[in-house]
Amino acid sequence: MVRLLALRERFAHMSSISGYDALYGHFTPDIEIESVFCNFKKMYPRGVGRLLEKSSRLVGGSGFYNAQSFESEIRLFLKARRKKHDIVHYCYGESYLGFGAILTSRLKLPLVVTHHQPVSWWAQNSALAHKYKNVNTVITLSEYDKNYFEDLVPGRVVCIPHGVDIDFYKPETSLKKESGPFKILFVGRYLRDTLTLSQAVKKLLSFPADIYFDIVYSDKAGYLPAEMRELSTLSKVKWHSEIGDQNLLALYRQADCCLIPLNDCTANNAILEAMACGVPVITTNLPAAHTYLDDTMSIMCRQKNSDDLVEAVLLLYNDISARVVMGERARKKAEQYFDWNIIASKTITLFNDCNE
C-alpha cells in the first residue's frame, strides 16, 4: 500500500474523462489517495486575497503560480505534516510548485512533480530550476521534454506519457462511411496555431470539394481571436463551444480526419482522443509530438505552413483506404501505449521506487 498525497486540479473545461487528472481514477486499490484540489477561480476576502497574492510572488516565480497556488500548498503542507503519507505528487508543477519542495524535504517525504508546459516555456523560465534540488523525480510527458530536463536535474527525470480513456474514446463498431461529406475536426484552444488553421480552412473551402469543418473552441472569457471569429461565419464551418463528453465523442467518430495545427506542445488531449477514436491526425511537426505520433497514423506538417495542411487534407480526402489504415493504426497505438491503465501502472511503479 502506497499512501499518496496529491495536489490536483480539475479544469472546468475538462471532464473526468479528459485531462491529466483522469490518471488518479485509474490507480489500483493499493494506492491510497488523499487529495488537495486547487481552484484558480476561487475568490478570497479582500485582505486575505491580497496577502496570498503577495506571498505567491515571493515564492512562485512562474506566471502560473498565484494566490490560489500558495493557499493550496499551505493546505497540502498541513496534511503532509501529519506524516500519514508515503509520497507527494504535484500533478501540475508549473502552476503549484512554490515552497513545497523545501517543506516536503524537511518532512522527508519523496516529491514527484509532473510538468506540462513545452520546452520553449521552460527555456524562458529556466530560473525556476533551483526549486528542483529537493524534488525526487520530474515526470515529463514527452521524450523531448525529458532530454531538456536531464540537463537541469540529471538522473531524476522520467518520461511517462499522457494517457487517454480508450474505453470511452473508441471508434464506432460500424465501418467508416465511404460516401457523404468529408468531415474535418479541430478541437482545442491552448497552443493551437489558429492563424494557420484559418488560412488552411479558407483555402480548402475554395476547392470544389464536399468538405465540412467542425470547430470545437472554447472562447475563454468571451474572447475570440479575429481569425476564429471569421471562421465561425463560414457556411461550411460548424461551431461548437462548451459541448458535453458524448457530443465531443460523436464528433470524433464522425470525423474523417483531425486537423490540429500547433504553435507548440508537450502532450495534446485532442490528438490522443482522435487516435483512440481511430481518426487520422494532421498536425505540426514538433519534437514533443513524436512521443505520440508517427507517419503510419498521422501527417506532420511544417510549422505555420497552411499549404502543407491543405496538401495533407486533400491526400486523405482522395484516398479512403489510407484514411482507414491510418485510423486503425492510430487506435492500435493508443491501446498499446497510451491507455490510462498502462500510464497509471507506470506511475505506480515510479511511486514505489521513490518510496523504497
Side-chain angles (χ1 to χ4, degrees):
M1 174 72 71
V2 174
R3 298 168 302 171
L4 173 67
L5 178 59
L7 182 51
R8 303 163 60 180
E9 170 85 5
R10 286 177 178 158
F11 294 99
H13 64 282
M14 290 183 183
S15 71
S16 60
I17 299 167
S18 297
Y20 191 73
D21 193 72
L23 167 70
Y24 297 101
H26 292 267
F27 284 156
T28 51
D30 58 332
I31 299 291
E32 183 182 286
I33 308 170
E34 184 171 8
S35 302
V36 171
F37 286 96
C38 182
N39 179 2
F40 282 142
K41 293 185 178 180
K42 184 175 181 179
M43 302 298 290
Y44 303 99
R46 191 169 186 178
V48 174
R50 188 176 299 162
L51 177 61
L52 289 171
E53 187 62 37
K54 286 182 179 178
S55 302
S56 72
R57 291 174 190 164
L58 292 174
V59 303
S62 157
F64 293 105
Y65 192 92
N66 58 16
Q68 290 84 356
S69 308
F70 187 81
E71 186 253 346
S72 296
E73 281 203 296
I74 291 173
R75 287 190 285 121
L76 183 89
F77 175 65
L78 291 175
K79 290 180 181 291
R81 67 198 295 265
R82 295 178 305 177
K83 298 186 179 180
K84 293 183 178 180
H85 307 93
D86 301 309
I87 194 164
V88 176
H89 180 214
Y90 278 52
C91 71
Y92 290 91
E94 297 92 343
S95 305
Y96 306 150
L97 188 62
F99 58 84
I102 297 172
L103 295 182
T104 53
S105 175
R106 288 179 180 174
L107 293 172
K108 298 185 174 166
L109 268 175
L111 175 61
V112 176
V113 179
T114 300
H115 285 310
H116 298 257
Q117 294 305 312
V119 165
S120 60
W121 185 90
W122 278 99
Q124 296 174 0
N125 293 271
S126 57
L128 297 176
H130 74 275
K131 294 184 179 182
Y132 290 85
K133 63 182 180 181
N134 293 314
V135 172
N136 294 76
T137 304
V138 171
I139 297 176
T140 68
L141 302 178
S142 82
E143 291 292 341
Y144 179 67
D145 296 80
K146 177 179 181 291
N147 293 336
Y148 177 81
F149 271 96
E150 279 289 358
D151 291 334
L152 298 180
V153 283
R156 289 184 283 144
V157 187
V158 61
C159 174
I160 302 179
H162 202 292
V164 64
D165 189 332
I166 64 167
D167 296 318
F168 181 81
Y169 290 106
K170 58 185 178 182
E172 286 185 298
T173 52
S174 58
L175 294 174
K176 285 281 186 182
K177 66 181 188 297
E178 296 190 13
S179 60
F182 185 84
K183 291 192 172 184
I184 302 170
L185 176 62
F186 169 87
V187 178
R189 182 185 62 82
Y190 187 58
L191 295 179
R192 304 305 196 264
D193 183 358
T194 53
L195 278 172
T196 306
L197 171 73
S198 175
Q199 293 165 4
V201 170
K202 287 184 286 186
K203 288 176 182 178
L204 285 162
L205 292 182
S206 71
F207 293 116
D210 197 14
I211 293 176
Y212 289 80
F213 290 86
D214 284 293
I215 306 290
V216 180
Y217 188 89
S218 176
D219 51 341
K220 191 174 183 182
Y223 169 75
L224 271 181
E227 67 273 10
M228 298 304 278
R229 229 173 13 250
E230 182 184 8
L231 284 186
S232 70
T233 66
L234 300 180
S235 60
K236 287 189 174 183
V237 174
K238 189 170 183 181
W239 195 265
H240 309 266
S241 180
E242 310 299 334
I243 66 172
D245 299 325
Q246 292 293 339
N247 290 334
L248 179 60
L249 175 63
L251 290 177
Y252 280 120
R253 287 175 164 178
Q254 295 165 12
D256 292 287
C257 72
C258 197
L259 179 63
I260 311 284
L262 297 167
N263 289 316
D264 212 337
C265 72
T266 50
N268 187 285
N269 277 294
I271 286 176
L272 281 164
E273 290 161 3
M275 290 172 62
C277 289
V279 181
V281 173
I282 299 171
T283 190
T284 309
N285 189 2
L286 295 167
H290 289 271
T291 294
Y292 300 88
L293 296 169
D294 59 60
D295 59 9
T296 69
M297 88 284 292
S298 67
I299 302 175
M300 303 181 78
C301 304
R302 290 171 292 180
Q303 282 188 278
K304 303 192 180 302
N305 192 310
S306 59
D307 289 336
D308 278 11
L309 298 178
V310 170
E311 183 180 342
V313 168
L314 293 178
L315 187 153
L316 295 179
Y317 175 78
N318 291 310
D319 192 343
I320 186 171
S321 62
R323 298 202 304 265
V324 170
V325 170
M326 290 174 71
E328 289 172 348
R329 289 171 175 167
R331 171 64 186 183
K332 185 175 181 180
K333 189 164 187 178
E335 290 174 339
Q336 289 181 331
Y337 297 103
F338 307 120
D339 177 359
W340 268 128
N341 292 314
I342 295 172
I343 303 305
S345 177
K346 291 181 178 181
T347 308
I348 290 170
T349 298
L350 172 65
F351 290 163
N352 282 319
D353 290 343
C354 290
N355 195 39
E356 289 179 353

